[in-house]
């Protein structure tokens, strides 16, 4: 005779861990959006140390882009960077919501959709970092010989978004793959 399989009525530990990681990833991603996105690092031989001269959030870059737009130009790569940053945070947040709903409703389709959102979040976070580096490269660096060297580089917000995309998106992908 065939044995009947018992249906689990509880929530598995793996499901809880996946939801926890996806929620942490969403929190990291959204936090990164509002922190310093880039910073200007200056090295001077006169003072013999490095310092951070200016930090800009995505909001500051948006204002600079709008100002340049009024003057007939734009901050190169900012629009794409901003788009991928917001898509990454929204996708990881959507994955978190879908996995929480999956715990409640127990519908396999929700984890599949959450996995797709995780893939989008992970890829968008990586692309936001790539385009941030391109944007920083376009902003240029100042090199006054041995006196002063200055360059624009990604700051903590950019890296938090990437960490949130990797943690949240990776957990969502793992949750969708697990049986």
């Amino acid at each position: 005779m065939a044995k009947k399989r018992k249906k689990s009525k509880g929530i598995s530990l793996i499901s809880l861990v996946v939801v926890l990681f996806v929620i942490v990833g969403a929190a990291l991603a959204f936090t990164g959006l509002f922190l310093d996105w880039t910073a200007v690092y200056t090295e001077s031989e006169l003072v013999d140390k490095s310092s951070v001269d200016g930090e800009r959030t995505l909001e500051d870059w948006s204002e600079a882009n709008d100002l340049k737009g009024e003057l007939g130009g734009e901050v190169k790569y900012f629009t794409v960077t901003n788009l991928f940053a917001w898509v990454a945070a929204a996708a990881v947040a959507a994955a978190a919501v879908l996995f929480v709903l999956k715990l409640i409703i127990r519908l396999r389709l929700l984890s599949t959709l959450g996995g797709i959102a995780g893939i989008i979040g992970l890829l968008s976070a990586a692309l936001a970092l790539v385009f941030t580096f391109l944007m920083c490269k376009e902003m240029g660096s100042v090199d006054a010989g041995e006196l002063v060297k200055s360059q624009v580089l990604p700051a903590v917000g950019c890296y938090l978004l990437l960490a949130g995309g990797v943690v949240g998106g990776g957990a969502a992908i793992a949750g969708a793959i697990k049986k």
Side-chain angles (χ1 to χ4, degrees):
M1 286 208 251
K3 289 184 181 180
K4 286 190 176 183
R5 250 175 87 180
K6 263 182 148 180
K7 265 195 167 180
S8 174
K9 294 192 180 199
I11 298 172
S12 72
L13 180 62
I14 293 174
S15 295
L16 286 176
V17 170
V18 166
V19 168
L20 177 69
F21 273 87
V22 175
I23 289 172
V24 167
L28 287 172
F30 270 102
T31 301
L33 287 176
F34 301 104
L35 293 179
D36 296 329
W37 195 258
T38 60
V40 178
Y41 294 94
T42 303
E43 224 175 273
S44 175
E45 295 294 324
L46 299 174
V47 196
D48 217 17
K49 71 174 195 176
S50 295
S51 65
V52 177
D53 288 336
E55 298 164 327
R56 285 184 156 184
T57 62
L58 280 176
E59 176 82 21
D60 297 336
W61 279 108
S62 178
E63 290 171 5
N65 192 43
D66 290 344
L67 183 62
K68 274 197 161 190
E70 291 173 4
L71 300 174
E74 69 174 23
V75 176
K76 197 166 183 183
Y77 298 112
F78 169 73
T79 305
V80 182
T81 300
N82 195 31
L83 175 73
F84 279 122
W86 281 95
V87 166
V92 175
V97 168
L98 289 166
F99 275 98
V100 168
L101 285 175
K102 183 199 176 269
L103 287 180
I104 298 167
I105 300 174
R106 296 179 185 259
L107 187 61
R108 177 85 176 134
L109 176 65
L110 292 175
S111 66
T112 303
L113 293 175
I116 292 169
I119 291 170
I120 293 169
L122 182 73
L123 292 176
S124 295
L127 287 171
L129 179 69
V130 168
F131 282 108
T132 299
F133 272 110
L134 290 173
M135 182 177 71
C136 290
K137 185 179 176 187
E138 278 299 315
M139 295 313 295
S141 60
V142 175
D143 191 356
E146 293 183 17
L147 295 178
V148 177
K149 293 179 183 176
S150 177
Q151 61 184 354
V152 180
L153 293 172
V156 68
C158 184
Y159 293 120
L160 274 179
L161 177 86
L162 179 65
V166 169
V167 169
I173 294 166
I177 292 173
K178 83 149 182 89
K179 301 245 176 188

